[in-house]
Amino acid sequence: VLAKSYNVASMLDDFRELYKIAGQQGRGVVFLMTDAEVKDEGFLEVINSVLMTGEIANLFPKDELQVMAAELRPIALKERPGFVDTPDNLVSYFYDRVRANLHIVLAFSPVNPKLPERARKFPGLINGCSINFFLEWPEEALVAVSKGFLRDIEIDCDETVKNELIHHVGGVHNMVVKACREYFIKMRRHVYQTPKSYLSFLNSYSAMYGTKMAEINEMSSRVIVGLEKLQ
């Protein structure tokens, strides 16, 4: 979760560290951002630069960049026979390592009305990415996820009933998706149910079950205390 004070300057600080990991240390690293975290369109301007060129203008002072690049001289000479040892070539080699090791993962929802506008303003979001569309989860996957969520929750029932509950929860999401399609056919209006909606449903169920069980246990204890006083 981004802090309220997180801004473009904070992002540039993060990218400096990522560039050092990817370029100087030569280790693979991932920068992940969801569309809910785009608090400032300036974030996308930075990411667009990385996706299109692998470079961010003025990210490092020139002397600091050349020092980091100079430390890569033995590696460059070993990996690239015939490498011409000049400051500019070493800087280019540094950025080549960044492009090879730094990976940008953007989790953007196609439902977001801002996505088309952002794609026009920042073409790297489309041209510089391999786009994966995550389609509907099959019921087997929904059941597997519900099993992972509900397995460790103490539910006042036997294992048979709990397994039936786990399968039912997976089926409920598909029922809602089907109802959304029917609604679109009748009303020509989209209502989206995504995997994130399903995870929210599971979290809500777990929280509600815990709350209701606490209420029932409290009422039960009061009844028991009352009966004991009557005796």
Side-chain angles (χ1 to χ4, degrees):
V1 179
L2 294 182
K4 291 183 179 180
S5 59
Y6 194 88
N7 53 25
V8 174
S10 305
M11 173 178 270
L12 291 174
D13 288 338
D14 287 340
F15 268 103
R16 287 187 189 96
E17 295 303 315
L18 294 174
Y19 269 52
K20 290 177 182 178
I21 293 171
Q24 194 175 20
Q25 301 175 23
R27 294 192 288 123
V29 64
V30 172
F31 179 83
L32 170 64
M33 173 169 277
T34 68
D35 49 3
E37 294 171 331
V38 183
K39 296 168 53 180
D40 187 330
E41 295 295 304
F43 292 177
L44 297 179
E45 186 173 350
V46 174
I47 291 173
N48 185 68
S49 295
V50 177
L51 292 172
M52 295 297 286
T53 66
E55 302 178 18
I56 301 174
N58 302 317
L59 183 64
F60 295 103
K62 185 176 181 180
D63 55 345
E64 182 182 354
L65 180 59
Q66 289 184 343
V67 168
M68 288 192 297
E71 293 176 358
L72 300 176
R73 182 178 289 109
I75 303 174
L77 293 171
K78 182 178 179 181
E79 287 187 357
R80 299 184 177 180
F83 180 78
V84 180
D85 186 2
T86 65
D88 288 343
N89 285 344
L90 286 170
V91 169
S92 296
Y93 179 69
F94 171 82
Y95 281 120
D96 287 343
R97 281 165 64 93
V98 170
R99 295 185 190 98
N101 294 313
L102 174 59
H103 305 281
I104 308 293
V105 177
L106 303 175
F108 286 3
S109 171
V111 179
N112 192 329
K114 293 183 179 180
L115 182 60
E117 179 186 351
R118 288 170 172 171
R120 286 192 295 269
K121 289 173 63 178
F122 308 107
L125 300 181
I126 304 299
N127 299 336
C129 293
S130 298
I131 300 176
N132 290 325
F133 289 99
F134 293 93
L135 305 178
E136 296 176 6
W137 289 0
E139 187 162 343
E140 294 80 6
L142 295 169
V143 170
V145 172
S146 67
K147 185 176 182 180
F149 264 80
L150 304 177
R151 178 178 52 204
D152 298 327
I153 296 176
E154 293 186 8
I155 298 178
D156 190 13
C157 63
D158 57 36
E159 282 301 314
T160 302
V161 174
K162 190 170 185 178
N163 285 330
E164 290 177 355
L165 171 66
I166 288 170
H167 282 79
H168 175 70
V169 168
V172 164
H173 182 76
N174 277 342
M175 291 184 220
V176 176
V177 171
K178 183 178 179 182
C180 290
R181 292 197 195 100
E182 294 174 354
Y183 182 77
F184 175 72
I185 292 171
K186 293 179 182 178
M187 308 300 295
R188 308 307 295 175
R189 293 181 63 184
H190 282 291
V191 178
Y192 294 96
Q193 288 296 315
T194 64
K196 185 176 180 181
S197 305
Y198 180 58
L199 297 178
S200 298
F201 165 58
L202 291 172
N203 283 321
S204 298
Y205 174 82
S206 301
M208 183 176 292
Y209 182 85
T211 301
K212 293 300 179 183
M213 280 300 297
E215 292 175 359
I216 292 171
N217 289 333
E218 184 179 357
M219 288 188 290
S220 174
S221 64
R222 288 178 181 176
V223 170
I224 291 171
V225 170
L227 290 174
E228 289 176 348
K229 288 182 178 180
L230 289 174
Q231 292 175 357

